[in-house]
Amino acid sequence: ITAFFLVLLGAAVGWGLHAWSGQALNTPMTWAMAIGLGLLVAGSAAWLHRFFRAYFFQLKEIQNEAQLMLPTNPDRRLTPEGPASVRELMTTLNQFADQFQRLTRDRDEGIRQARADLEEEHHLLAAIMAELSDSVIVCNLDGRILLYNQQARHLLSPPYRQPDQPPDRLALSASASGFIGLGRSIFGLIDRNAITYGLSHLQSRLTQSTTASLDWDQSTGFVTSAANGALLRIRMAALTTQEGQFSGFVLTLQDMT
């Protein structure tokens, strides 16, 4: 297209120089040829402009629109215009944007549903633990407390009080501001060496197990002291994933003081 335009432009310039030198013949045929040549030059120039507009500048605009459409404005769509191939490209991009928006919406809905189910299970487990007579604490492998019931809170809150001892104002204040809490470390409440011993014992059993099933003994027991001075009998049970990986532990506490 560019070569055709340059040939016509060169012919037009040559004709103009020829006419300017006075060598052109002033006849209807000559003027018809001049007009025809001018129309060809104008037509090829318009064709060249449309080509560059569609396949250079418009493609750059499509790229910019696509960059705005996907990450920031998923509702944005391209308006098909220009040559047929460019319109088809815009239509295809719009179809990809529709599919991407549907997938994103389904993913977000799945995440919200999973969070809702997890929250419901968390509340159900908390309600079940609240009805237990024993003190129960659930922790991850780092010793961070994930869940506990009120019995565990009263047992581990400083200062230690006998179950049949009437609470005084100081004991009530300390119990309300006890050390136990979600996200806190169990090592600040119970002797670290005892917890570490229990974890290593359970991990060694899991390592020696030939399968990842539940046929191995997933609990161990020991007696240790709490930070508030209470003497505790602790039963530690392992929490495992579906693949059999060690993910945390559950402590059942009994007051032996």
Side-chain angles (χ1 to χ4, degrees):
I1 298 174
T2 305
F4 183 68
F5 170 73
L6 292 178
V7 168
L8 292 178
L9 183 61
V13 171
W15 180 269
L17 293 176
H18 185 67
W20 179 71
S21 64
Q23 299 178 7
L25 299 177
N26 190 8
T27 61
M29 181 62 68
T30 304
W31 284 108
M33 293 177 59
I35 293 173
L37 184 60
L39 292 176
L40 287 175
V41 172
S44 61
W47 192 15
L48 186 63
H49 175 268
R50 182 186 180 190
F51 179 85
F52 275 94
R53 174 72 178 83
Y55 295 102
F56 287 91
F57 302 105
Q58 193 172 7
L59 288 180
K60 183 63 177 178
E61 293 176 0
I62 293 175
Q63 179 186 2
N64 295 334
E65 289 288 331
Q67 290 177 350
L68 292 175
M69 183 170 54
L70 292 181
T72 59
N73 191 3
D75 295 327
R76 192 183 186 94
R77 293 295 181 269
L78 300 173
T79 302
E81 58 182 1
S85 57
V86 177
R87 292 197 304 269
E88 293 175 359
L89 175 61
M90 291 182 174
T91 303
T92 304
L93 287 177
N94 288 335
Q95 293 174 353
F96 274 114
D98 293 338
Q99 185 175 4
F100 175 77
Q101 189 176 22
R102 285 195 300 269
L103 291 175
T104 303
R105 184 168 55 247
D106 294 342
R107 182 202 60 185
D108 295 340
E109 181 63 27
I111 292 176
R112 284 193 296 268
Q113 185 62 38
R115 288 178 176 175
D117 294 342
L118 184 61
E119 191 70 18
E120 183 179 358
E121 292 178 359
H122 184 274
H123 290 318
L124 178 61
L125 182 58
I128 294 175
M129 289 180 59
E131 298 298 326
L132 297 177
S133 59
D134 291 335
S135 302
V136 181
I137 303 176
V138 180
C139 303
N140 61 12
L141 281 180
D142 296 329
R144 296 293 175 183
I145 298 175
L146 304 178
L147 200 63
Y148 63 92
N149 58 3
Q150 283 297 111
Q151 290 80 354
R153 181 181 181 87
H154 293 318
L155 180 59
L156 297 178
S157 296
Y160 171 77
R161 180 172 58 87
Q162 293 285 352
D164 56 349
Q165 177 183 350
D168 55 12
R169 181 172 301 179
L170 177 60
L172 286 176
S173 174
S175 177
S177 59
F179 298 113
I180 190 171
L182 297 179
R184 298 196 176 205
S185 176
I186 191 65
F187 299 125
L189 301 171
I190 302 175
D191 181 56
R192 176 186 292 269
N193 293 329
I195 298 294
T196 304
Y197 159 78
L199 287 177
S200 61
H201 198 56
L202 291 178
Q203 287 176 339
S204 63
R205 289 183 182 178
L206 178 62
T207 303
Q208 295 172 1
S209 177
T210 57
T211 63
S213 59
L214 302 179
D215 56 355
W216 61 284
D217 189 2
Q218 297 186 81
S219 64
T220 185
F222 51 87
V223 177
T224 186
S225 60
N228 61 359
L231 184 63
L232 304 176
R233 175 183 289 169
I234 299 179
R235 194 69 184 174
M236 175 184 287
L239 291 177
T240 56
T241 62
Q242 294 181 352
E243 294 78 14
Q245 300 295 325
F246 202 0
S247 62
F249 56 91
V250 180
L251 299 179
T252 303
L253 315 177
Q254 292 182 349
D255 186 8
M256 301 296 294
T257 310

